[in-house]
Every structure is written in C-alpha cells, then in structure tokens.
Amino acid sequence: NMNTDISLLKLFPGISEKIVKSILENSETTVMESFGSGNSTSNKKFISILKEAIENGKIIVNCSQCLRGSVQQGKYENSSELKRIGVISAKDMTTETAITKLMYLRSKGLKNDEIKFDTVEYSVLSNVTDEERKKWEAYHLKKFIDENGLLPPHNRVMGREH
C-alpha cells in the first residue's frame, strides 16, 4: 500500500505562519508548491519555520506552481536559502509526480533520514520514456483511487477528476 501521509503546502502571498506550521507539524513529508522557479517568501520567520521542520527530521520537497518550467534552487537569492536549509528540489516534477514518488518511497518503509536527496530528485524511472513514465503515473493514480475510493487530496483541491 502507498503511504499517503504526505501534505501539500501551496504558497501564496501573505500565507500565515500559523498555517505553515500546522501543515508541517502534521506530516512527516511535505510537498511545497513555490513561486516560479522555486522561490518562496523571503520572510525570515517563514524560512526559520521550514529550517526547524527539516532539523526535526521532516522532508520538504519544492515543486513549482507553474504549469511549465522547473524548480532551480539557487537561481535567485531566495531559492538559494531554501537549498541551504535542506529543502529538496523536485526540479521539473509535477506536484502529483512528487507526491506519488514520495508515497512510493515512504511505502517501502524508509525513514525520513533514509530518503535522501537523490532518491527523490532523480526519478526511479530514469531509464524509461516519457510515455512509459506517464503510464506509470496513471497506473499509480488509478491504484490510489481503487484503494481509497477517491482522488489524492491535491487532485480534489484542484478540481481534477482524473
């Protein structure tokens, strides 16, 4: 069974510290949807909340909210800070891909400190074509729906039906 204890932190201008803390405190693994090429607010308190969560063993993976493009941590000063504190770049993965990959890795019984940067960043499907990867993602999405009777939380929030 896929481990579904993964939260989604979708950043928006003015997001409160209370919301960020609540999301991070209630999950061991969080996919954070950031702005553009992986940027977040430069608010020092926000960065310290992320840093504290990571220091306490939480995993935070950075995905872009953009439909196209990718996370390039270090391209701008703000994303350099995310990289420095240990936020993992999802590069060009979609949010759904990052969530599914983390659900898969967590289902293998790996503890947070065993899910390393390269385990997440580099695809477990690195030797397959894009079409094969899409089939793999569709298979796991269908499996999730079959096992749980509903779409993963992010798909429901975004109003997607498939």
Side-chain angles (χ1 to χ4, degrees):
N1 285 347
M2 299 285 263
N3 181 326
T4 59
D5 184 23
I6 304 204
S7 62
L8 176 64
L9 172 59
K10 186 173 185 88
L11 299 184
F12 56 88
I15 190 169
S16 74
E17 294 170 13
K18 177 180 150 188
I19 296 296
V20 174
K21 282 182 182 179
S22 177
I23 290 170
L24 293 174
E25 288 172 357
N26 288 291
S27 180
E28 293 300 311
T29 308
T30 300
V31 173
M32 178 178 74
E33 283 191 340
S34 59
F35 311 123
S37 61
N39 295 298
S40 69
T41 176
S42 58
N43 177 296
K44 299 232 183 278
K45 182 64 177 169
F46 172 80
I47 299 296
S48 73
I49 292 169
L50 296 181
K51 182 179 180 193
E52 181 181 340
I54 293 166
E55 288 172 349
N56 288 326
K58 308 278 185 168
I59 293 174
I60 302 174
V61 175
N62 187 3
C63 284
S64 176
Q65 293 181 23
C66 296
L67 295 176
R68 301 208 171 159
S70 64
V71 170
Q72 298 174 21
Q73 287 186 167
K75 183 172 183 176
Y76 299 105
E77 182 178 343
N78 181 270
S79 64
S80 295
E81 188 67 13
L82 296 176
K83 183 177 183 177
R84 187 188 67 73
I85 65 170
V87 173
I88 299 168
S89 171
K91 297 208 175 195
D92 64 350
M93 280 185 229
T94 63
T95 299
E96 290 84 357
T97 300
I99 290 172
T100 303
K101 185 177 288 192
L102 288 164
M103 287 173 20
Y104 170 79
L105 292 171
R106 296 295 305 257
S107 72
K108 294 296 181 191
L110 299 175
K111 299 195 182 324
N112 282 359
D113 61 351
E114 296 174 311
I115 297 177
K116 301 294 183 198
F117 179 85
D118 60 347
T119 309
V120 175
E121 183 177 355
Y122 299 103
S123 176
V124 293
L125 302 171
S126 61
N127 295 325
V128 298
T129 66
D130 191 48
E131 190 61 36
E132 290 170 319
R133 179 189 54 79
K134 288 177 185 175
K135 287 180 185 177
W136 183 87
E137 290 173 6
Y139 167 80
H140 285 287
L141 183 60
K142 181 181 180 323
K143 184 176 177 185
F144 182 90
I145 293 168
D146 290 346
E147 291 175 0
N148 297 284
L150 66 161
L151 289 166
H154 179 70
N155 289 67
R156 291 194 310 269
V157 169
M158 299 302 289
R160 296 183 181 134
E161 299 192 20
H162 301 261

